[in-house]
Amino acid sequence: MKKKQLLITIHVISIISWFGGVFCMFMLGLYMLNSDNGEQLYYTLENMHLVDVILIRYTALVAFLSGLALSLWTNWGLFNYYWIVTKLILTIVLILFGVAYLSPWLSQLLREADQGRSLALINAAFLDKSYSLLGGAIANIVALAFMTAISYFKPFGKIKPKLNKSKS
């Protein structure tokens, strides 16, 4: 197997894993909101935390790094096509959004569920944060699906370099 093929394989597997992890978070989030008791709530959130830490964080980083390497080491280039720049920006935004918001929200929900168990489900702030977490998961799913589509269709064309026109 060539190095490029290996890198493409790593990139595709990391994207599939990231996508699967985000979808799993969404499904567990729906399950969490329908918890029958405090133990179920807590353990569902604990499983969501495990998916976040083990599956989403690392696969997102591998997807970013392998995509960067593919862009730099192939003829595609990093800034030659709009679809690549779009994927780069969306990937960075998703990772930063996850680090800055989604992971802290999940950690806070886990702490509150640990302390309050089933009482957390009647806490308005807990529910608001839960819905925000689900909204973030949906945003990730949509963005990852969009990035997958533009990887296949390669829309928007090539970025044309600006010509340096100097007047003499």
Side-chain angles (χ1 to χ4, degrees), residues 29 33 69:
L33 289 174

Side-chain angles (χ1 to χ4, degrees), residues 51-143:
V51 169
D52 180 43
V53 170
I54 294 171
L55 188 59
I56 295 175
R57 289 182 191 179
Y58 297 114
T59 58
L61 182 61
V62 170
F64 171 72
L65 294 175
S66 60
L68 198 61
L70 279 169
S71 296
L72 295 173
W73 293 339
T74 63
N75 293 333
W76 289 108
L78 190 57
F79 298 107
N80 293 336
Y81 294 88
Y82 287 108
W83 67 273
I84 293 174
V85 173
T86 302
K87 283 181 59 172
L88 175 66
I89 291 168
L90 277 173
T91 299
I92 292 170
V93 167
L94 288 179
I95 290 171
L96 291 177
F97 182 68
V99 169
Y101 296 102
L102 297 178
S103 288
W105 290 344
L106 181 57
S107 294
Q108 183 181 353
L109 290 172
L110 184 58
R111 280 191 307 276
E112 290 177 19
D114 187 27
Q115 294 167 356
R117 299 295 174 169
S118 60
L119 293 176
L121 285 172
I122 58 173
N123 180 331
F126 181 89
L127 290 173
D128 285 346
K129 189 102 32 213
S130 297
Y131 290 124
S132 295
L133 190 64
L134 283 172
I138 291 169
N140 270 264
I141 290 168
V142 169

Side-chain angles (χ1 to χ4, degrees), residues 132-159:
S132 295
L133 190 64
L134 283 172
I138 291 169
N140 270 264
I141 290 168
V142 169
L144 288 166
F146 175 72
M147 288 192 288
T148 300
I150 66 174
S151 293
Y152 180 74
F153 293 109
K154 297 173 180 45
F156 316 129
K158 189 169 182 155
I159 297 172

